[in-house]
Amino acid sequence: MQRHFCNITHFAESKNLKAAFFRIMSNLSKGIIITGPTAVGKTALAVKLATRFGGEIISIDSRQVFRGMDLGTGKDLDEYGNIPYHLIDVAEPTEIYHLKRFLAESAGAFRQILERSRLPFFCGGTALYLNAILHRYELSGGEPNFAGRDELRELSAEELVRRLPPEIATSLADCERSNCERLRRRLEKSAPGGEPGGEPFPPFDKLVLGVYYPRSEIHRRIELRLDQRLDEGMIEEVRRLHEQGVTWEKLEFFGLEYRMVAQYLQGKIDRRTMRDSLLAKIRQFAKRQDIWFRKMEREGVRIHWVERGDEQEAVRLVEDFMAGRELPEPHIRLNDIHYGPKSN
């Protein structure tokens, strides 16, 4: 029997059979992913479900990892109450936090939650982080070479593409060809002599819930939230971060809110222009998120969109999922929803 088990284990070392073997031997642990565009209340729903099902929350937000970046990232720590959370406030804004570190730390949190016999809830909308978990990215190469990137920073996207090996350059998606940051990382990964990459995220049985609002309501929620955060001190937060040593350039790297407020604090734009430009850009960002979720659906990711974050509908889905019952087909599919050409 022992010899037979060892043979099975050896057989399962094949990369293509690892996930199937894990499912047979351990019946795959379960986890809930709660995602959606900005300003729809993902955290609120995650906290309600984690409270009901004895869970802990792993953030999949690339900016909430940084301490002191609260209002600009929508951290809303008061919402969590007594629910334990992970990957929030784990780095200083002056540090580099990259995908490889996220995968290692989120996998560690995931295993700890399971060891406590609690249910992991993943909450957030950072596309790269979510894809890395869903598709179990295997990252080749070592840590990002940020010093080396400085040498490439002056190159255009076209010049960066030309430096890539032909087999990689021809496989790039259209969106990658204009993303200089991603192209620099591609060059790092293709360089000879890189260290082995980290392990992919552990396999687990997933239920993906999305919080759905019609686009017009998302626009209203974005405006309400933006004005609330400005009133609560988002400008003062950015000023304080700069006084603590975060450069204007680094602040602009942190995304829309920090970029526009940094420009205002430097006197490049006035307050009204900052607010109105920020509102327009966040709405455009929400539209890009919508496009990305549609792409996820087309690629076979089954997203159960919960209209307006309805708790009872979400509870029914989680109960059926945890009991191993067959889930209904999603009753909302973004690919079936069409907006007019002037909708932003």
Side-chain angles (χ1 to χ4, degrees):
M1 178 66 182
Q2 178 67 28
R3 181 177 179 182
H4 179 64
F5 179 80
C6 290
N7 287 339
I8 294 175
T9 304
H10 178 72
F11 180 66
E13 285 302 308
S14 167
K15 179 179 176 181
N16 293 333
L17 294 175
K18 276 184 179 179
F21 174 74
F22 192 98
R23 181 185 293 274
I24 293 169
M25 299 305 293
S26 64
N27 201 21
L28 272 185
S29 301
K30 293 179 182 286
I32 316 295
I33 295 173
I34 299 172
T35 190
T38 189
V40 294
K42 297 182 287 292
T43 301
L45 180 60
V47 168
K48 290 174 184 176
L49 294 176
T51 300
R52 182 156 186 151
F53 291 97
E56 301 183 23
I57 295 174
I58 301 173
S59 171
I60 45 177
D61 188 294
S62 62
R63 302 187 302 169
Q64 291 189 4
V65 297
F66 295 110
R67 301 182 188 95
M69 292 174 56
D70 303 328
L71 291 169
T73 66
K75 205 171 282 180
D76 301 327
L77 293 179
D78 290 342
E79 281 195 79
Y80 288 89
N82 295 321
I83 298 299
Y85 55 82
H86 306 266
L87 272 66
I88 293 178
D89 290 344
V90 296
E92 295 298 333
T94 50
E95 290 182 62
I96 298 296
Y97 196 95
H98 47 74
L99 177 60
K100 193 169 185 179
R101 179 173 169 184
F102 165 77
L103 281 175
E105 294 185 354
S106 60
F110 177 75
R111 294 187 180 97
Q112 291 168 15
I113 293 169
L114 294 178
E115 288 170 1
R116 289 190 283 271
S117 299
R118 295 175 65 82
L119 181 61
F121 285 84
F122 300 84
C123 179
T126 295
L128 180 62
Y129 286 9
L130 180 53
N131 262 338
I133 291 174
L134 285 172
H135 302 298
R136 305 189 62 234
Y137 284 5
E138 294 188 51
L139 301 181
S140 59
E143 302 292 332
N145 181 4
F146 294 98
R149 283 187 196 178
D150 289 339
E151 301 175 9
L152 305 174
R153 201 164 295 279
E154 300 303 318
L155 298 181
S156 68
E158 291 181 0
E159 291 170 320
L160 291 168
V161 170
R162 283 199 294 269
R163 292 197 178 198
L164 285 167
E167 65 274 13
I168 295 178
T170 56
S171 68
L172 291 173
D174 290 342
C175 61
E176 288 183 298
R177 291 180 175 274
S178 59
N179 188 325
C180 290
E181 201 68 32
R182 186 168 296 180
L183 290 171
R184 294 183 194 110
R185 181 57 176 149
R186 284 276 196 168
L187 280 167
E188 292 169 1
K189 291 168 68 174
S190 64
E195 296 176 9
E199 289 293 318
F201 199 91
F204 67 102
D205 196 9
K206 321 168 177 60
L207 170 64
V208 183
L209 302 178
V211 181
Y212 173 79
Y213 281 88
R215 184 171 291 175
S216 59
E217 290 190 45
I218 291 178
H219 284 188
R220 286 195 293 271
R221 291 174 67 90
I222 287 172
E223 183 170 20
L224 179 64
R225 188 179 71 165
L226 173 60
D227 288 336
Q228 180 180 356
R229 289 178 178 174
L230 287 169
D231 290 342
E232 290 177 352
M234 188 165 71
I235 294 173
E236 288 69 26
E237 175 176 292
V238 179
R239 180 185 287 113
R240 182 172 61 253
L241 287 166
H242 180 62
E243 291 172 349
Q244 292 172 350
V246 184
T247 65
W248 294 124
E249 181 182 18
K250 184 69 178 288
L251 284 166
E252 294 199 11
F253 173 79
F254 284 134
L256 294 173
E257 293 86 352
Y258 294 93
R259 181 180 308 134
M260 299 307 298
V261 174
Q263 290 180 15
Y264 163 68
L265 290 174
Q266 293 172 86
K268 296 180 178 179
I269 53 176
D270 59 39
R271 193 183 193 282
R272 186 67 190 182
T273 300
M274 178 269 292
R275 184 265 184 196
D276 291 348
S277 297
L278 186 49
L279 175 60
K281 290 179 182 297
I282 296 174
R283 286 174 170 173
Q284 290 167 4
F285 173 68
K287 184 178 181 180
R288 292 195 298 273
Q289 288 180 306
D290 179 272
I291 293 170
W292 178 67
F293 286 121
R294 290 168 187 262
K295 181 175 182 289
M296 285 178 62
E297 288 183 342
R298 291 193 300 272
E299 292 175 346
V301 178
R302 198 183 196 201
I303 306 175
H304 292 268
W305 291 101
V306 179
E307 195 161 5
R308 294 176 173 83
D310 181 73
E311 181 182 355
Q312 293 310 309
E313 180 184 354
V315 165
R316 286 193 295 271
L317 287 166
V318 175
E319 286 177 341
D320 288 344
F321 172 72
M322 296 302 295
R325 294 189 284 268
E326 184 175 356
L327 297 178
E329 286 298 315
H331 69 279
I332 295 175
R333 277 181 52 85
L334 296 188
N335 278 302
D336 297 333
I337 300 171
H338 303 285
Y339 296 102
K342 294 184 178 180
S343 178
N344 293 318

